[in-house]
Amino acid sequence: MTREEIQFRILRLLQDNPQLSQRDLAAELGVSVGSTHYCLRALVDKGWVKANNFAKSTRKTRYLYQLTPSGIAEKAALTRRFLKRKREEYQAIRAEIAELEKDLKDQ
């Protein structure tokens, strides 16, 4: 999974579930907590995500991750790029399947 794809998936997950922990995000993404922390930190540094402590939490290491307006705009741009890439992959797979089916018919 590319860094851009991880960032896209983090933004997507946080938009619906801002209370997810880094461990929760890592589990959802299937990557290490360290990779998740690195990508999340980059999103915060870019100003796309804002991290706030839970006011009533007894565990002060828990954060609420909110997408900023620029984060929402970037998520939309990432979504367009991700969708374009997935459509291209889909077309390539369809072509490969057609070729394999042709090979089977020829045998």
Side-chain angles (χ1 to χ4, degrees):
M1 196 176 327
T2 66
R3 183 172 31 145
E4 184 177 77
E5 188 173 345
I6 293 171
Q7 288 178 345
F8 165 71
R9 291 180 188 272
I10 288 174
L11 290 172
R12 193 169 170 202
L13 287 166
L14 290 179
Q15 188 166 23
D16 295 331
N17 305 294
Q19 75 286 353
L20 289 175
S21 69
Q22 289 184 23
R23 189 168 306 284
D24 295 335
L25 287 169
E28 287 283 333
L29 297 167
V31 298
S32 71
V33 175
S35 292
T36 302
H37 175 77
Y38 175 80
C39 286
L40 191 54
R41 188 79 245 154
L43 294 173
V44 170
D45 290 346
K46 290 177 181 180
W48 298 347
V49 172
K50 184 176 177 183
N52 296 310
N53 286 90
F54 279 113
K56 296 181 182 181
S57 175
T58 56
R59 294 170 51 200
K60 293 303 177 188
T61 58
R62 292 289 302 205
Y63 288 94
L64 180 68
Y65 297 103
Q66 297 176 303
L67 271 62
T68 63
S70 62
I72 292 168
E74 184 59 28
K75 181 186 164 284
L78 285 169
T79 300
R80 283 189 290 279
R81 290 194 301 268
F82 184 76
L83 184 57
K84 180 179 186 269
R85 189 170 51 254
K86 289 301 180 183
R87 283 185 175 145
E88 289 168 355
E89 289 174 12
Y90 173 72
Q91 293 301 326
I93 289 170
R94 282 185 61 186
E96 186 175 356
I97 289 170
E99 192 173 310
L100 291 170
E101 287 173 340
K102 181 181 178 288
D103 287 350
L104 282 176
K105 285 181 185 179
D106 291 345
Q107 290 181 3

